[in-house]
Amino acid sequence: MEALQIGDVVIVRPNERLPADGVVIAGQSSVNQAPITGESVPVDKAAAVDARLDFNKAGPEHRVFAGTINGAGVLEVRVARRATETTLARVVKMVAEAETQRSPTQRFTDRFQRIFVPAVLGLVGLLLFAGAVPDGPLSLSLSRAKAAPGAASPRAASGDPP
């Protein structure tokens, strides 16, 4: 796939994955574009009348994308983009970038939990041993310590069941 150059012609047999973005110059088939577009139904593709037609100017019935799956027909495709510039490569790059970037809400939650969780655990420890100092019953201290994490839970505040 990396060896393909713009202008090369590849033959795509039935049920093969298309190796590059390009324009169909011969043949007719249905192409499963779900890996790129999410369409559940294969899309009919046919040869362009002008074999030199530019990829961006070609109609959707003549354009094919790397990573899609050819149907029952044989297609001859003129490569329009290098492997690093295909639609599939751009989608993969955007997904990778989205996974590395954190939203402001995620960053706030991370900062909050770094402080909140240790504070709640400290409160549990304090409540657990609070009964030992003023001679209170141990069962009361255990009940308070057991209730503190539940009370600190966001679900408890919203009234949702766990």
Side-chain angles (χ1 to χ4, degrees), residues 23-41:
V23 176
V24 178
I25 59 171
Q28 185 173 347
S29 185
S30 293
V31 175
N32 180 351
Q33 297 185 152
I36 301 294
T37 64
E39 294 179 64
S40 60
V41 178

Side-chain angles (χ1 to χ4, degrees), residues 4-152:
L4 291 175
Q5 297 296 319
I6 295 173
D8 287 352
V9 176
V10 294
I11 297 174
V12 184
R13 290 181 172 64
N15 301 317
E16 285 186 344
R17 193 171 294 273
L18 280 98
D21 288 0
V23 176
V24 178
I25 59 171
Q28 185 173 347
S29 185
S30 293
V31 175
N32 180 351
Q33 297 185 152
I36 301 294
T37 64
E39 294 179 64
S40 60
V41 178
V43 178
D44 291 335
K45 302 293 179 175
V49 176
D50 181 5
R52 297 169 298 168
L53 187 63
D54 181 53
F55 181 80
N56 296 323
K57 294 179 182 173
E61 68 277 7
H62 307 304
R63 285 187 299 208
V64 292
F65 304 101
T68 58
I69 302 164
N70 187 21
V74 176
L75 297 175
E76 285 187 37
V77 177
R78 185 175 37 80
V79 176
R81 295 182 179 150
R82 289 186 169 78
T84 57
E85 300 167 348
T86 64
T87 303
L88 181 62
R90 290 187 305 197
V91 168
V92 168
K93 182 181 175 185
M94 287 190 308
V95 168
E97 287 174 357
E99 287 178 347
T100 60
Q101 296 175 352
R102 300 184 67 87
S103 71
T105 304
Q106 288 172 318
R107 287 193 300 268
F108 171 77
T109 303
D110 290 344
R111 282 195 314 267
F112 184 76
Q113 77 179 9
R114 273 186 258 137
I115 297 167
F116 185 71
V117 172
V120 169
L121 292 176
L123 177 64
V124 168
L126 182 68
L127 291 172
L128 186 61
F129 296 111
V133 176
D135 292 332
L138 182 61
S139 63
L140 183 60
S141 293
L142 290 174
S143 295
R144 287 181 182 155
K146 189 171 78 171

